[in-house]
Amino acid sequence: MRRRRLAALVALAAVIAAGLLVHKALPGSTATDVAGDALYAVAAFTGLVLLFPRAPRFALAGAAALWCVGVELLQLTGVPLALAERVPPVALLLGTGFDARDLVVYVCAVAVAVAVDIAVSRLLPRGTTRTGVGAPG
């Protein structure tokens, strides 16, 4: 599990860096909005993998998707916008305005993140025992 957690940490750092790049350096457009939403969902999934590396990946995927959808629906209340006006970085975590398209982007991005997680887990070598021999199964 140590390797999975390390892979998740590296991936999360890369996703956050990419998200900040999209947010700060690229001009605002539909494409950058979708990219930012996708990166947000991948960060949610990857963060959960980092925190709970032994949890079933589909449970983590469901939790990440629920978090993203919940945050998007919270935006309908105006609370995230009000908080972001007082503390601007809150907008990066909670957003500011509801967009139904984001719901689709979140679910699709989490599905892609799960597929990548499966592929990476097949590439990572299994843990070793104290004798240095690969652990069974």
Side-chain angles (χ1 to χ4, degrees):
M1 284 300 120
R2 211 179 310 172
R3 290 178 196 244
R4 180 162 188 203
R5 185 170 268 157
L6 179 60
L9 178 62
V10 170
L12 182 58
V15 168
I16 290 171
L20 292 173
L21 177 70
V22 166
H23 177 72
K24 291 287 188 186
L26 299 178
S29 69
T30 300
T32 57
D33 184 48
V34 168
D37 294 337
L39 289 166
Y40 181 84
V42 171
F45 174 75
T46 308
L48 289 173
V49 171
L50 178 64
L51 292 173
F52 308 103
R54 293 181 188 265
R57 68 176 42 96
F58 291 107
L60 298 177
L66 282 173
W67 166 263
C68 294
V69 168
V71 167
E72 194 68 27
L73 294 176
L74 180 65
Q75 293 170 10
L76 289 169
T77 68
V79 170
L81 178 60
L83 289 172
E85 288 172 349
R86 290 185 178 90
V87 184
V90 167
L92 295 173
L93 182 62
L94 299 180
T96 56
F98 176 81
D99 186 346
R101 177 191 62 217
D102 295 352
L103 301 173
V104 175
V105 173
Y106 294 143
V107 172
C108 291
V110 169
V112 170
V114 169
V116 170
D117 184 44
I118 290 168
V120 168
S121 70
R122 290 181 179 159
L123 294 174
L124 290 175
R126 300 236 179 202
T128 58
T129 64
R130 290 183 186 183
T131 61
V133 177

